[in-house]
Amino acid sequence: MMISFTNNLFFLMMLLGSLITMSSSSWFMAWIGMEINLMGFIPLISSHSNKRYSEASMKYFFIQSIASSIFLFSFLLSFSFLSIIQSISMNPWMISSIMILSLTVKLGASPFHMWLPTVSEGLSWMNCFILMTWQKIAPLSMFSLINQKSFTMLMIIFLSAISGSIGGLNQTSLRKIMAFSSISHMAWILASMYLSKTLWILYLLIYSILIFSIIYNFLFLNIFHINQIFTNQNNNFNMFIFINFFSLGGLPPFFGFLPKWLIIIQLIQNNMTFLTFILISSALINLYFYTRISYSSILMYNNNNKWMKTKKFIPLSHSILLMISSFGLILTSMLFSYI
Protein backbone atom coordinates (compact mmCIF):
# COMPACT_ATOMS: atom_id res chain seq x y z
CA MET A 1 0.00 0.00 0.00
CA MET A 2 2.86 2.33 0.89
CA ILE A 3 4.66 1.55 -2.39
CA SER A 4 1.51 2.33 -4.38
CA PHE A 5 1.07 5.66 -2.56
CA THR A 6 4.72 6.58 -3.20
CA ASN A 7 4.45 5.73 -6.89
CA ASN A 8 1.32 7.85 -7.21
CA LEU A 9 3.12 10.72 -5.50
CA PHE A 10 6.05 10.54 -7.91
CA PHE A 11 3.64 10.22 -10.85
CA LEU A 12 1.89 13.44 -9.80
CA MET A 13 5.30 15.06 -9.41
CA MET A 14 6.17 14.05 -12.96
CA LEU A 15 2.91 15.52 -14.30
CA LEU A 16 3.40 18.72 -12.29
CA GLY A 17 6.90 19.22 -13.70
CA SER A 18 5.68 19.09 -17.29
CA LEU A 19 2.78 21.43 -16.53
CA ILE A 20 5.17 23.94 -14.93
CA THR A 21 7.37 23.87 -18.03
CA MET A 22 4.45 24.35 -20.42
CA SER A 23 2.95 27.24 -18.43
CA SER A 24 6.15 29.06 -17.48
CA SER A 25 7.06 32.50 -18.80
CA SER A 26 10.79 32.28 -18.09
CA TRP A 27 13.56 29.91 -19.11
CA PHE A 28 14.51 29.36 -15.49
CA MET A 29 11.04 28.14 -14.49
CA ALA A 30 10.90 25.98 -17.61
CA TRP A 31 14.19 24.39 -16.56
CA ILE A 32 12.88 23.89 -13.01
CA GLY A 33 9.77 22.18 -14.39
CA MET A 34 11.84 19.78 -16.50
CA GLU A 35 13.98 18.91 -13.46
CA ILE A 36 10.88 18.23 -11.34
CA ASN A 37 9.58 16.04 -14.14
CA LEU A 38 12.89 14.14 -14.21
CA MET A 39 12.94 13.64 -10.43
CA GLY A 40 9.39 12.29 -10.60
CA PHE A 41 10.05 9.83 -13.43
CA ILE A 42 13.32 8.33 -12.16
CA PRO A 43 11.72 6.62 -9.09
CA LEU A 44 8.97 5.22 -11.31
CA ILE A 45 11.60 3.52 -13.48
CA SER A 46 13.58 2.06 -10.57
CA SER A 47 10.55 1.08 -8.47
CA HIS A 48 10.96 -2.58 -9.49
CA SER A 49 13.69 -4.65 -7.80
CA ASN A 50 15.44 -5.52 -11.05
CA LYS A 51 18.97 -4.76 -12.21
CA ARG A 52 17.79 -3.85 -15.71
CA TYR A 53 15.38 -1.25 -14.33
CA SER A 54 18.13 0.22 -12.15
CA GLU A 55 20.53 0.36 -15.08
CA ALA A 56 17.89 2.06 -17.26
CA SER A 57 17.16 4.63 -14.55
CA MET A 58 20.86 5.49 -14.17
CA LYS A 59 21.32 5.87 -17.94
CA TYR A 60 18.24 8.03 -18.20
CA PHE A 61 19.31 10.18 -15.25
CA PHE A 62 22.80 10.87 -16.64
CA ILE A 63 21.59 11.65 -20.16
CA GLN A 64 18.83 13.98 -18.96
CA SER A 65 21.16 15.70 -16.48
CA ILE A 66 23.67 16.45 -19.23
CA ALA A 67 20.91 17.81 -21.47
CA SER A 68 19.54 19.97 -18.64
CA SER A 69 23.00 21.37 -17.92
CA ILE A 70 23.46 22.33 -21.58
CA PHE A 71 19.98 23.90 -21.63
CA LEU A 72 20.77 25.90 -18.46
CA PHE A 73 24.05 27.07 -19.96
CA SER A 74 22.35 28.14 -23.20
CA PHE A 75 19.74 30.44 -21.68
CA LEU A 76 22.29 31.91 -19.25
CA LEU A 77 24.28 32.95 -22.32
CA SER A 78 21.21 34.62 -23.82
CA PHE A 79 21.48 37.56 -21.36
CA SER A 80 17.75 37.28 -20.74
CA PHE A 81 17.41 35.18 -17.61
CA LEU A 82 13.76 35.86 -16.91
CA SER A 83 11.66 36.47 -19.99
CA ILE A 84 11.15 33.88 -22.74
CA ILE A 85 9.65 36.51 -25.06
CA GLN A 86 12.65 38.86 -24.71
CA SER A 87 15.06 35.97 -25.17
CA ILE A 88 13.36 34.85 -28.39
CA SER A 89 13.73 38.31 -29.90
CA MET A 90 17.41 38.75 -29.00
CA ASN A 91 18.86 35.23 -29.20
CA PRO A 92 21.76 34.90 -31.62
CA TRP A 93 21.94 31.89 -33.91
CA MET A 94 24.55 30.02 -31.85
CA ILE A 95 22.63 30.23 -28.57
CA SER A 96 19.36 29.06 -30.14
CA SER A 97 21.27 26.17 -31.77
CA ILE A 98 22.66 25.12 -28.37
CA MET A 99 19.12 25.19 -26.98
CA ILE A 100 17.86 23.08 -29.86
CA LEU A 101 20.64 20.51 -29.40
CA SER A 102 20.02 20.22 -25.65
CA LEU A 103 16.30 19.67 -26.25
CA THR A 104 17.18 17.16 -28.97
CA VAL A 105 19.08 15.11 -26.37
CA LYS A 106 16.07 15.22 -24.05
CA LEU A 107 13.72 14.11 -26.83
CA GLY A 108 15.97 11.30 -28.01
CA ALA A 109 15.96 12.65 -31.55
CA SER A 110 18.85 12.01 -33.92
CA PRO A 111 21.85 12.41 -33.78
CA PHE A 112 21.54 12.03 -29.98
CA HIS A 113 19.14 9.12 -30.10
CA MET A 114 21.10 6.00 -29.16
CA TRP A 115 20.23 6.22 -25.47
CA LEU A 116 16.50 5.83 -26.17
CA PRO A 117 16.45 2.18 -27.41
CA THR A 118 18.83 1.01 -24.65
CA VAL A 119 16.84 2.74 -21.92
CA SER A 120 13.52 1.50 -23.35
CA GLU A 121 14.82 -2.07 -23.30
CA GLY A 122 15.14 -1.89 -19.51
CA LEU A 123 11.70 -0.41 -18.82
CA SER A 124 8.27 -1.88 -18.26
CA TRP A 125 5.68 -1.33 -20.96
CA MET A 126 3.86 1.46 -19.12
CA ASN A 127 7.12 3.30 -18.42
CA CYS A 128 7.96 2.92 -22.11
CA PHE A 129 4.64 4.55 -22.97
CA ILE A 130 5.35 7.45 -20.60
CA LEU A 131 8.87 7.86 -21.98
CA MET A 132 7.66 7.96 -25.60
CA THR A 133 4.69 10.28 -25.04
CA TRP A 134 4.40 12.39 -21.88
CA GLN A 135 8.14 12.88 -21.37
CA LYS A 136 8.34 14.53 -24.79
CA ILE A 137 5.69 17.17 -24.12
CA ALA A 138 7.84 19.56 -22.05
CA PRO A 139 10.85 19.61 -24.44
CA LEU A 140 8.52 19.96 -27.43
CA SER A 141 6.76 22.92 -25.81
CA MET A 142 10.20 24.56 -25.40
CA PHE A 143 11.00 23.69 -29.03
CA SER A 144 7.86 25.51 -30.16
CA LEU A 145 9.12 28.76 -28.56
CA ILE A 146 12.45 28.72 -30.40
CA ASN A 147 12.88 29.73 -34.02
CA GLN A 148 12.68 26.33 -35.72
CA LYS A 149 13.33 27.52 -39.29
CA SER A 150 17.05 26.90 -39.22
CA PHE A 151 19.53 24.54 -40.82
CA THR A 152 20.06 22.79 -37.45
CA MET A 153 16.36 21.95 -37.23
CA LEU A 154 16.27 20.58 -40.76
CA MET A 155 19.28 18.35 -40.10
CA ILE A 156 17.65 16.95 -36.96
CA ILE A 157 14.50 16.14 -38.96
CA PHE A 158 16.49 14.42 -41.74
CA LEU A 159 18.67 12.40 -39.37
CA SER A 160 15.74 11.38 -37.13
CA ALA A 161 13.72 10.14 -40.11
CA ILE A 162 16.62 8.12 -41.49
CA SER A 163 18.05 6.70 -38.26
CA GLY A 164 14.64 5.88 -36.78
CA SER A 165 13.53 3.92 -39.82
CA ILE A 166 16.81 2.11 -40.54
CA GLY A 167 17.55 1.38 -36.88
CA GLY A 168 14.37 -0.65 -36.42
CA LEU A 169 14.99 -3.00 -39.35
CA ASN A 170 17.20 -5.54 -37.61
CA GLN A 171 15.53 -5.57 -34.17
CA THR A 172 13.65 -8.43 -32.54
CA SER A 173 12.85 -6.71 -29.24
CA LEU A 174 9.49 -4.97 -29.43
CA ARG A 175 10.57 -2.28 -26.96
CA LYS A 176 13.53 -1.36 -29.15
CA ILE A 177 11.32 -1.37 -32.24
CA MET A 178 8.89 0.99 -30.54
CA ALA A 179 11.82 3.22 -29.50
CA PHE A 180 13.16 3.48 -33.07
CA SER A 181 9.61 4.06 -34.25
CA SER A 182 9.38 6.92 -31.75
CA ILE A 183 12.56 8.45 -33.20
CA SER A 184 11.11 8.25 -36.70
CA HIS A 185 7.81 9.80 -35.60
CA MET A 186 9.77 12.55 -33.85
CA ALA A 187 10.95 13.64 -37.31
CA TRP A 188 7.30 14.05 -38.35
CA ILE A 189 6.50 15.99 -35.17
CA LEU A 190 9.45 18.36 -35.65
CA ALA A 191 8.54 18.78 -39.32
CA SER A 192 5.00 19.73 -38.33
CA MET A 193 6.42 22.16 -35.77
CA TYR A 194 8.59 23.64 -38.54
CA LEU A 195 5.39 24.47 -40.43
CA SER A 196 2.82 25.24 -37.74
CA LYS A 197 2.64 26.01 -34.03
CA THR A 198 -0.33 23.71 -33.42
CA LEU A 199 -0.08 20.87 -35.96
CA TRP A 200 2.48 19.01 -33.85
CA ILE A 201 -0.02 18.83 -30.97
CA LEU A 202 -2.51 16.97 -33.18
CA TYR A 203 0.20 14.59 -34.39
CA LEU A 204 1.45 13.88 -30.86
CA LEU A 205 -2.11 13.28 -29.64
CA ILE A 206 -2.92 10.77 -32.39
CA TYR A 207 0.48 9.09 -31.99
CA SER A 208 -0.12 8.75 -28.23
CA ILE A 209 -3.52 7.12 -28.80
CA LEU A 210 -2.10 4.62 -31.28
CA ILE A 211 0.96 3.72 -29.24
CA PHE A 212 -1.19 3.30 -26.12
CA SER A 213 -3.46 0.83 -27.91
CA ILE A 214 -0.41 -1.21 -29.00
CA ILE A 215 1.44 -1.11 -25.68
CA TYR A 216 -1.74 -1.90 -23.77
CA ASN A 217 -2.06 -5.20 -25.61
CA PHE A 218 1.63 -6.09 -25.25
CA LEU A 219 1.32 -5.44 -21.52
CA PHE A 220 -1.91 -7.41 -21.30
CA LEU A 221 -0.38 -10.56 -22.83
CA ASN A 222 3.16 -10.08 -21.46
CA ILE A 223 4.79 -9.88 -24.90
CA PHE A 224 8.29 -8.43 -25.35
CA HIS A 225 9.72 -10.04 -28.53
CA ILE A 226 8.53 -10.71 -32.07
CA ASN A 227 8.68 -14.50 -31.74
CA GLN A 228 6.18 -14.31 -28.88
CA ILE A 229 3.63 -12.84 -31.28
CA PHE A 230 4.14 -15.80 -33.63
CA THR A 231 3.24 -18.21 -30.81
CA ASN A 232 0.05 -16.42 -29.84
CA GLN A 233 -3.21 -18.21 -30.77
CA ASN A 234 -5.53 -15.30 -30.09
CA ASN A 235 -6.57 -14.22 -33.60
CA ASN A 236 -8.42 -11.19 -32.22
CA PHE A 237 -5.15 -9.94 -30.76
CA ASN A 238 -3.31 -10.60 -34.03
CA MET A 239 -5.86 -8.63 -36.03
CA PHE A 240 -5.71 -5.85 -33.45
CA ILE A 241 -1.91 -5.66 -33.81
CA PHE A 242 -2.23 -5.71 -37.61
CA ILE A 243 -4.64 -2.75 -37.71
CA ASN A 244 -2.85 -0.66 -35.09
CA PHE A 245 0.64 -1.06 -36.52
CA PHE A 246 -0.55 -0.18 -40.02
CA SER A 247 -2.34 2.81 -38.56
CA LEU A 248 0.85 3.81 -36.73
CA GLY A 249 2.73 3.54 -40.01
CA GLY A 250 0.32 5.99 -41.64
CA LEU A 251 -1.20 3.60 -44.17
CA PRO A 252 -4.55 4.86 -45.51
CA PRO A 253 -7.38 4.55 -44.65
CA PHE A 254 -6.34 4.09 -41.01
CA PHE A 255 -6.39 6.80 -38.36
CA GLY A 256 -2.62 7.37 -38.36
CA PHE A 257 -2.79 8.55 -41.98
CA LEU A 258 -4.62 11.76 -40.98
CA PRO A 259 -1.71 13.70 -39.35
CA LYS A 260 0.78 12.54 -41.98
CA TRP A 261 -1.58 13.68 -44.71
CA LEU A 262 -1.87 17.15 -43.13
CA ILE A 263 1.92 17.46 -42.82
CA ILE A 264 2.53 16.32 -46.41
CA ILE A 265 0.04 18.91 -47.70
CA GLN A 266 1.75 21.67 -45.71
CA LEU A 267 5.21 20.58 -46.89
CA ILE A 268 4.19 20.55 -50.55
CA GLN A 269 2.55 23.96 -50.23
CA ASN A 270 5.83 25.31 -48.81
CA ASN A 271 7.86 23.76 -51.70
CA MET A 272 9.76 21.39 -49.38
CA THR A 273 9.74 18.46 -51.79
CA PHE A 274 12.98 16.84 -50.66
CA LEU A 275 11.93 16.81 -46.99
CA THR A 276 8.59 15.30 -48.03
CA PHE A 277 10.43 12.57 -49.95
CA ILE A 278 12.64 11.74 -46.93
CA LEU A 279 9.68 11.54 -44.54
CA ILE A 280 7.59 9.38 -46.88
CA SER A 281 10.56 7.06 -47.49
CA SER A 282 11.12 6.65 -43.75
CA ALA A 283 7.41 5.90 -43.28
CA LEU A 284 7.64 3.15 -45.92
CA ILE A 285 10.63 1.59 -44.14
CA ASN A 286 8.69 1.74 -40.88
CA LEU A 287 5.83 -0.08 -42.56
CA TYR A 288 8.26 -2.84 -43.50
CA PHE A 289 9.19 -3.72 -39.92
CA TYR A 290 5.61 -3.13 -38.78
CA THR A 291 4.70 -5.80 -41.32
CA ARG A 292 7.30 -8.11 -39.77
CA ILE A 293 5.51 -7.75 -36.44
CA SER A 294 2.10 -8.31 -38.05
CA TYR A 295 3.34 -11.28 -40.09
CA SER A 296 1.56 -13.89 -37.95
CA SER A 297 -1.71 -11.99 -38.05
CA ILE A 298 -1.58 -11.75 -41.84
CA LEU A 299 -1.00 -15.48 -42.30
CA MET A 300 -3.12 -16.49 -39.29
CA TYR A 301 -0.52 -19.15 -38.50
CA ASN A 302 0.68 -19.57 -34.93
CA ASN A 303 1.53 -22.00 -32.18
CA ASN A 304 0.87 -21.87 -28.49
CA ASN A 305 3.39 -22.32 -25.67
CA LYS A 306 2.74 -23.04 -22.01
CA TRP A 307 4.43 -19.86 -20.84
CA MET A 308 2.16 -17.66 -22.99
CA LYS A 309 -0.66 -15.82 -21.26
CA THR A 310 -3.75 -16.71 -23.26
CA LYS A 311 -6.22 -14.18 -21.93
CA LYS A 312 -9.45 -13.06 -23.45
CA PHE A 313 -9.66 -9.40 -24.30
CA ILE A 314 -11.67 -6.95 -22.26
CA PRO A 315 -14.49 -6.28 -24.75
CA LEU A 316 -15.22 -2.60 -24.10
CA SER A 317 -11.67 -1.21 -23.95
CA HIS A 318 -10.42 -3.18 -26.93
CA SER A 319 -13.50 -2.38 -28.98
CA ILE A 320 -13.03 1.35 -28.38
CA LEU A 321 -9.33 1.26 -29.27
CA LEU A 322 -10.00 -0.83 -32.38
CA MET A 323 -12.70 1.55 -33.59
CA ILE A 324 -10.40 4.55 -33.13
CA SER A 325 -7.60 2.89 -35.08
CA SER A 326 -9.59 1.38 -37.94
CA PHE A 327 -12.15 4.02 -38.87
CA GLY A 328 -9.67 6.70 -39.81
CA LEU A 329 -11.09 7.11 -43.29
CA ILE A 330 -14.50 8.09 -41.92
CA LEU A 331 -13.00 10.53 -39.42
CA THR A 332 -10.72 12.02 -42.07
CA SER A 333 -13.52 12.52 -44.60
CA MET A 334 -15.74 14.11 -41.94
CA LEU A 335 -12.95 16.49 -40.93
CA PHE A 336 -12.07 17.62 -44.44
CA SER A 337 -15.70 18.09 -45.41
CA TYR A 338 -15.70 21.19 -43.18
CA ILE A 339 -12.46 22.64 -44.58
Side-chain angles (χ1 to χ4, degrees):
M1 191 69 173
M2 185 64 184
I3 296 177
S4 178
F5 173 76
T6 307
N7 287 341
N8 291 334
L9 186 63
F10 284 122
F11 183 76
L12 291 175
M13 183 177 174
M14 180 191 70
L15 299 181
L16 179 64
S18 296
L19 293 176
I20 290 174
T21 300
M22 289 185 287
S23 60
S24 60
S25 59
S26 67
W27 292 119
F28 182 71
M29 286 305 298
W31 176 76
I32 290 293
M34 286 191 288
E35 294 305 299
I36 293 173
N37 172 269
L38 174 62
M39 292 299 105
F41 187 54
I42 291 293
L44 294 178
I45 300 176
S46 56
S47 60
H48 303 277
S49 57
N50 191 309
K51 290 184 179 180
R52 298 185 67 180
Y53 293 150
S54 301
E55 180 185 356
S57 64
M58 291 300 296
K59 288 179 181 178
Y60 184 75
F61 174 75
F62 282 126
I63 294 294
Q64 295 296 314
S65 298
I66 293 171
S68 296
S69 301
I70 298 173
F71 182 76
L72 178 64
F73 175 73
S74 64
F75 74 75
L76 287 176
L77 285 178
S78 67
F79 303 107
S80 181
F81 188 70
L82 295 177
S83 175
I84 287 180
I85 299 176
Q86 293 175 4
S87 180
I88 292 172
S89 62
M90 66 185 297
N91 264 349
W93 174 83
M94 184 176 294
I95 294 175
S96 62
S97 297
I98 295 173
M99 280 189 177
I100 288 174
L101 292 177
S102 64
L103 294 173
T104 303
V105 177
K106 278 191 164 293
L107 288 170
S110 186
F112 310 106
H113 65 282
M114 289 310 298
W115 66 267
L116 185 60
T118 56
V119 170
S120 299
E121 183 66 16
L123 301 181
S124 63
W125 273 123
M126 288 312 298
N127 286 333
C128 278
F129 171 72
I130 295 173
L131 178 63
M132 297 173 191
T133 54
W134 182 262
Q135 292 301 98
K136 297 181 184 296
I137 293 178
L140 285 173
S141 64
M142 291 294 98
F143 246 119
S144 64
L145 298 175
I146 304 172
N147 183 21
Q148 299 92 16
K149 296 189 176 181
S150 61
F151 178 76
T152 306
M153 189 74 170
L154 284 175
M155 287 304 299
I156 292 171
I157 295 172
F158 285 139
L159 293 174
S160 297
I162 295 170
S163 59
S165 57
I166 296 177
L169 286 175
N170 199 29
Q171 302 295 330
T172 58
S173 171
L174 292 173
R175 285 174 291 189
K176 283 190 176 182
I177 289 175
M178 298 304 294
F180 280 110
S181 173
S182 176
I183 295 168
S184 181
H185 283 280
M186 186 53 57
W188 286 89
I189 293 174
L190 295 178
S192 64
M193 190 180 293
Y194 191 91
L195 301 168
S196 172
K197 294 289 185 181
T198 56
L199 186 57
W200 68 272
I201 300 175
L202 174 65
Y203 193 101
L204 183 62
L205 178 62
I206 295 176
Y207 170 73
S208 301
I209 293 172
L210 294 175
I211 199 174
F212 174 75
S213 62
I214 293 171
I215 287 178
Y216 175 73
N217 286 278
F218 288 156
L219 175 65
F220 196 71
L221 292 175
N222 198 30
I223 292 176
F224 295 98
H225 295 86
I226 291 181
N227 58 350
Q228 292 177 288
I229 298 179
F230 295 159
T231 58
N232 179 39
Q233 281 192 332
N234 196 322
N235 289 330
N236 292 328
F237 166 78
N238 291 334
M239 185 55 64
F240 194 93
I241 290 297
F242 171 77
I243 292 175
N244 278 277
F245 268 113
F246 275 38
S247 181
L248 186 64
L251 189 71
F254 300 115
F255 190 38
F257 174 66
L258 171 61
K260 285 185 170 61
W261 183 18
L262 295 174
I263 294 172
I264 290 170
I265 291 173
Q266 291 288 329
L267 288 171
I268 293 174
Q269 288 177 352
N270 286 272
N271 297 320
M272 303 178 73
T273 310
F274 183 69
L275 180 59
T276 308
F277 172 75
I278 294 294
L279 291 175
I280 293 175
S281 300
S282 68
L284 291 175
I285 298 174
N286 286 347
L287 279 172
Y288 171 75
F289 59 79
Y290 292 158
T291 306
R292 285 180 60 213
I293 299 173
S294 308
Y295 184 73
S296 62
S297 62
I298 296 172
L299 298 181
M300 293 300 176
Y301 172 78
N302 42 48
N303 297 314
N304 194 23
N305 290 330
K306 293 181 179 179
W307 47 263
M308 196 68 185
K309 290 185 179 180
T310 55
K311 296 180 180 179
K312 292 183 178 180
F313 284 140
I314 302 172
L316 180 60
S317 60
H318 285 76
S319 299
I320 293 173
L321 293 174
L322 187 61
M323 289 174 62
I324 292 174
S325 301
S326 57
F327 294 107
L329 182 61
I330 299 175
L331 294 175
T332 303
S333 60
M334 290 176 62
L335 175 65
F336 280 87
S337 63
Y338 294 100
I339 296 178

